[in-house]
Amino acid sequence: RSFRFSAAAVVSSAPAPVQPYLRLMRLDKPIGTWLLYLPCTWSIALASDPGCLPHLGMLSLFGTGAVLMRGAGCTINDLWDQDFDKKVARTATRPLASGELSGMQALVFLGGQLSLALGVLLCLNYYSIALGAASLCLVFTYPLMKRITYWPQLVLGLTFNWGALLGWSAIKGSCDWSVCLPLYFSGVMWTLIYDTIYAHQDKEDDIKVGVKSTALRFQGQTKAWLSGFAVAMMSGLTAAGINAEQTLPYYDYAINGGHSPGLSDLHVGHQQTRGLLAEICLQPKPGPFATFRHCCWEFMEGKERQFAAE
């Protein structure tokens, strides 16, 4: 019998009283943690001295912080959205929406996660401590954005890519804004790409419960918008590389072929055949960092059809 190690298997094998807390912080779905962690690694790598590997201790520290802050963010999101989650089949089984955990239990758990995350942050220099603390405003307000704007994915990008600033300052002691801002901007564009694609699966439910998203904003123009975001992302990566005095391997690895900067391969492809208006693909290459599913959205005769394959 083959043994398959996965985050979901780890959570399901945990003691029953602990499982709702692990699912509340989405420990069984680690893709969000990777998406939060990767911008940190880009920044740490760019800040490393020429010819040197990124600081392994700092990578580990930021990895721990990513797990904790992603968990805290999910807890905050579920506290805000538990009434909405009860009305949507995909989210109705979340611990707060299903009643497995109470609001007070979630608040206490949130306090524990934030306390541990503060311990990680205090391991950094004073500049980085202040910079990291500044991100809390985004962490707490992001879940509200879907109620008031069609651009919650933009706010998510501002939140999830804060590590592009923090990683550099943790290594160098402060931000070189000529490098950090273009890198941060590229990360935000990257988030707009993948989370708009993700938001398309929830469009009907979003309309039903009265929340907004870029998928609802773009509708049939999604292809053009995502193409623009991809161009903007590549431009930002180029500017960051130039200002960081990177050499040709950086541009080949980070930019050539539409690859996202380091560790994950993001392809936004377009195809028009036999009545297809657009096809948007998120395709990972095989390997240890192939954390995305192969997801395609076809827009045919004004109607969207989603399918997914491992």
Side-chain angles (χ1 to χ4, degrees):
R1 183 179 178 180
S2 62
F3 174 76
R4 183 178 179 182
F5 179 83
S6 68
V10 171
V11 170
S12 63
S13 64
V18 177
Q19 289 185 28
Y21 292 97
L22 299 182
R23 287 189 285 109
L24 181 62
M25 64 184 299
R26 309 289 197 276
L27 206 63
D28 56 330
K29 299 175 181 177
I31 178 60
T33 302
W34 280 112
L35 294 174
L36 183 62
Y37 179 55
L38 288 175
C40 306
T41 67
W42 308 338
S43 190
I44 291 171
L46 279 176
S48 301
D49 293 331
C52 297
L53 291 173
H55 193 287
L56 294 180
M58 200 62 71
L59 289 172
S60 300
L61 198 65
F62 272 75
T64 303
V67 172
L68 292 169
M69 286 307 299
R70 195 266 176 135
C74 290
T75 303
I76 293 168
N77 182 80
D78 287 6
L79 282 166
W80 282 117
D81 287 354
Q82 55 184 307
D83 291 335
F84 288 152
D85 289 344
K86 294 174 184 178
K87 302 175 183 178
V88 178
R90 185 178 63 83
T91 58
T93 58
R94 288 177 176 175
L96 282 173
S98 65
E100 287 183 88
L101 295 177
S102 68
M104 181 56 66
Q105 287 174 311
L107 281 172
V108 172
F109 184 54
L110 173 62
Q113 292 175 91
L114 291 176
S115 297
L116 291 173
L118 176 61
V120 172
L121 186 63
L122 291 177
C123 295
L124 307 180
N125 55 62
Y126 289 122
Y127 183 100
S128 298
I129 292 172
L131 184 63
S135 69
L136 287 177
C137 180
L138 289 169
V139 173
F140 277 94
T141 58
Y142 158 68
L144 297 175
M145 293 299 107
K146 68 187 76 171
R147 295 164 169 81
I148 61 177
T149 177
Y150 282 100
W151 292 86
Q153 281 71 26
L154 175 60
V155 182
L156 179 67
L158 295 173
T159 307
F160 256 49
N161 293 281
W162 202 260
L165 308 176
L166 195 58
W168 184 284
S169 70
I171 298 295
K172 297 292 191 181
S174 63
C175 284
D176 180 344
W177 296 108
S178 68
V179 177
C180 293
L181 282 182
L183 186 65
Y184 182 54
F185 172 78
S186 295
V188 173
M189 295 298 103
W190 181 51
T191 302
L192 278 166
I193 293 170
Y194 68 69
D195 208 53
T196 296
I197 294 173
Y198 180 72
H200 270 280
Q201 71 176 322
D202 286 337
K203 287 199 302 184
E204 293 182 3
D205 288 325
D206 287 347
I207 293 171
K208 181 173 67 175
V209 300
V211 297
K212 302 175 175 67
S213 72
T214 49
L216 293 175
R217 169 65 178 81
F218 300 157
Q219 295 290 347
Q221 296 180 322
T222 297
K223 173 183 176 180
W225 278 96
L226 296 193
S227 297
F229 294 148
V231 171
M233 181 183 76
M234 298 306 163
S235 299
L237 291 176
T238 301
I242 291 172
N243 293 333
E245 299 181 349
Q246 292 297 307
T247 54
L248 287 177
Y250 165 85
Y251 302 100
D252 181 58
Y253 186 60
I255 299 174
N256 184 37
H259 293 176
S260 68
L263 304 185
S264 68
D265 296 315
L266 176 66
H267 298 271
V268 179
H270 307 295
Q271 179 182 0
Q272 291 184 327
T273 56
R274 291 186 299 177
L276 284 178
L277 298 181
E279 178 183 67
I280 305 165
C281 301
L282 192 61
Q283 299 175 313
K285 288 185 177 180
F289 297 103
T291 53
F292 292 109
R293 285 186 173 188
H294 174 194
C295 298
C296 299
W297 279 259
E298 291 181 341
F299 298 87
M300 303 179 66
E301 299 178 354
K303 295 182 180 180
E304 178 183 291
R305 178 163 61 90
Q306 178 194 351
F307 61 93
E310 291 292 344

